[in-house]
Amino acid sequence: MLQVEKAIKELEMEGRKAAAVFVTSPTYHGICSNLSEISKLCHSCNIPLIVDEAHGAHLGFHPSMPCSALQQGADLAVQSTHKVLCSLTQSSMLHMSGNRVDRERICKCLQTIQSTSPSYLLLASLDAARAQLSENPETIFNKVMELAVEMRTLINKIPGIAVLDFPSFSSFPAFDPLRITIGVWQLGLSGYEADHILIKDYGVVSELIGSGSITFAINLGTCREHVLRLVSGFKHLSGTFSLNQGMSQRLDDIECSPFDDINMILSPRDAFFASKRKVSVRESLGEICGELITPFPPGIPVLIPGEVITQRALNYLLQLRSRGAVITGVADPLLSSIVVCNT
Ligand SMILES: Cc1ncc(COP(=O)(O)O)c(C=O)c1O
């Protein structure tokens, strides 16, 4: 809220006005912004609020869940209906409220990017997800909300495993109870290593992997057997790695991204069209990056074309790589070489 106010004021001082405020809420980890305050602030300046609610299509469908973006006054909200609700992957919805945003203009904008051959499979799956919710909107999430509480309680009892506990962070106004982030760093394990064991030995598939934690999404398809399997997996990790002396310091040296020392020499467009060469990682230091270097998960680029390659970014990438992250977007996923721009 304060950040939004500051950004609006800064623009005003330059004699400009924000065309819209764009907020991502909830985040991948389920952290929600105070959208009702932000929407009041935006509307007092006649600025529309647009919310990336990709992870929140289910919000507002249970009394213990945060309200949805539209319920909190957003003008536009984009939801990945496929993420927590049950439509097919790739299907999503754009919701509008009020008349601050011109509906006809939105339709025209959509026409410029949409296919002329919509997938009726995807559209039907969206309608099925809507129908599923509308049958019993008050109670549909009751069972999985109970499972989420049970999962948190059971995981919290396992030695060496930490559950991200949002209520203890007073600056977060709300969180999604169906997202659970579990830390494994006290066991000296990276999120990637723990994830590998959970998939291979327990068939547990996570939503997002971090350097020292894993985030899980509970949805309408989750059942008690899934929760118990996940808990067994973490008990196994705790029992196997908790006594592993010497490893617990191993993750302390992982730096947190994003870095604040980003130096763009070329625009991504100029870098895209520039002539390039492949150099060893050691030689790439100080060169202009020629490719999008993205550890996956989470799929957020660490270096983009046009940016100067720093020792910090290289250390971070190599550390993630050695701990099991897959590097995507690059010519050499092992990162022994990097494509750089000729200058
Ligand atoms: C915050 C956020 N917005 C948008 C998207 C993209 O959503 P979709 O995969 O439905 O295109 C994602 C994907 O994970 C996301 O995390």
Side-chain angles (χ1 to χ4, degrees):
M1 155 78 173
L2 287 176
Q3 281 172 311
V4 176
E5 197 170 9
K6 189 167 166 258
I8 292 175
K9 282 204 175 122
E10 273 172 9
L11 279 179
E12 271 172 9
M13 277 158 65
E14 292 169 21
R16 297 157 67 203
K17 186 181 170 194
V21 166
F22 182 83
V23 177
T24 297
S25 179
T27 65
Y28 224 137
H29 294 93
I31 300 168
C32 300
S33 296
N34 193 339
L35 295 178
S36 54
E37 291 297 314
I38 295 175
S39 67
K40 272 187 218 144
L41 171 71
C42 290
H43 296 164
S44 70
C45 310
N46 204 22
I47 297 171
L49 172 64
I50 307 173
V51 180
D52 175 346
E53 204 175 30
H55 294 275
H58 57 300
L59 297 187
F61 283 96
H62 188 278
S64 302
M65 275 181 198
C67 292
S68 71
L70 284 201
Q71 284 169 331
Q72 296 187 70
D75 299 276
L76 288 177
V78 196
Q79 297 179 337
S80 298
T81 320
H82 65 96
K83 287 198 202 293
V84 180
L85 301 183
C86 301
S87 63
L88 292 177
T89 292
Q90 264 190 29
S91 59
S92 56
M93 291 191 192
L94 171 65
H95 300 282
M96 291 183 71
S97 175
N99 49 16
R100 254 176 223 91
V101 179
D102 181 344
R103 281 164 197 257
E104 274 182 29
R105 198 156 173 219
I106 291 279
C107 291
K108 276 191 198 141
C109 293
L110 284 174
Q111 275 169 15
T112 64
I113 52 169
Q114 277 179 337
S115 164
T116 51
S117 316
S119 160
Y120 291 102
L121 202 60
L122 296 183
L123 290 176
S125 81
L126 283 170
D127 198 31
R130 182 207 53 73
Q132 186 188 26
L133 276 186
S134 66
E135 271 167 27
N136 47 7
E138 311 294 330
T139 54
I140 188 164
F141 280 96
N142 284 1
K143 191 178 129 249
V144 287
M145 288 291 278
E146 280 168 22
L147 285 177
V149 172
E150 182 179 1
M151 184 165 146
R152 264 175 214 280
T153 311
L154 292 174
I155 296 282
N156 260 324
K157 289 184 185 152
I158 305 175
I161 304 287
V163 179
L164 184 60
D165 179 18
F166 292 103
S168 57
F169 293 91
S170 55
S171 55
F172 300 144
F175 73 100
D176 175 7
L178 298 186
R179 275 299 146 97
I180 301 190
T181 297
I182 302 177
V184 287
W185 67 89
Q186 292 169 43
L187 304 178
L189 278 176
S190 72
Y192 306 104
E193 290 161 334
D195 185 67
H196 182 70
I197 296 169
L198 290 173
I199 289 188
K200 190 170 63 66
D201 297 342
Y202 292 85
V204 173
V205 180
S206 64
E207 177 68 27
L208 175 72
I209 311 169
S211 51
S213 66
I214 313 178
T215 301
F216 294 92
I218 296 174
N219 63 26
L220 289 173
T222 306
C223 61
R224 195 145 189 277
E225 189 265 324
H226 298 151
V227 171
L228 296 181
R229 197 141 38 91
L230 182 138
V231 172
S232 303
F234 277 99
K235 280 187 178 159
H236 164 77
L237 293 176
S238 167
T240 311
F241 294 96
S242 59
L243 297 176
N244 211 333
Q245 300 295 334
M247 284 179 79
S248 54
Q249 296 302 315
R250 207 165 64 95
L251 299 173
D252 288 354
D253 56 345
I254 295 189
E255 250 207 288
C256 288
S257 69
F259 309 123
D260 50 12
D261 53 354
I262 292 166
N263 182 8
M264 294 295 293
I265 297 284
L266 295 177
S267 69
R269 184 179 196 279
D270 288 343
F272 182 87
F273 288 111
S275 68
K276 302 188 187 67
R277 67 188 193 284
K278 222 183 225 185
V279 297
S280 71
V281 170
R282 201 167 37 83
E283 288 166 331
S284 73
L285 184 63
E287 297 283 348
I288 303 172
C289 189
E291 52 188 356
L292 200 63
I293 309 186
T294 310
F296 184 88
I300 298 166
V302 169
L303 286 168
I304 67 168
E307 185 177 342
V308 175
I309 299 174
T310 60
Q311 189 66 60
R312 222 172 154 193
L314 285 181
N315 288 350
Y316 177 73
L317 284 166
L318 293 172
Q319 278 169 347
L320 287 190
R321 173 81 198 90
S322 73
R323 283 172 177 94
V326 174
I327 310 293
T328 64
V330 285
D332 174 6
L334 294 178
L335 273 197
S336 35
S337 62
I338 291 183
V339 173
V340 298
C341 297
N342 292 327
T343 45

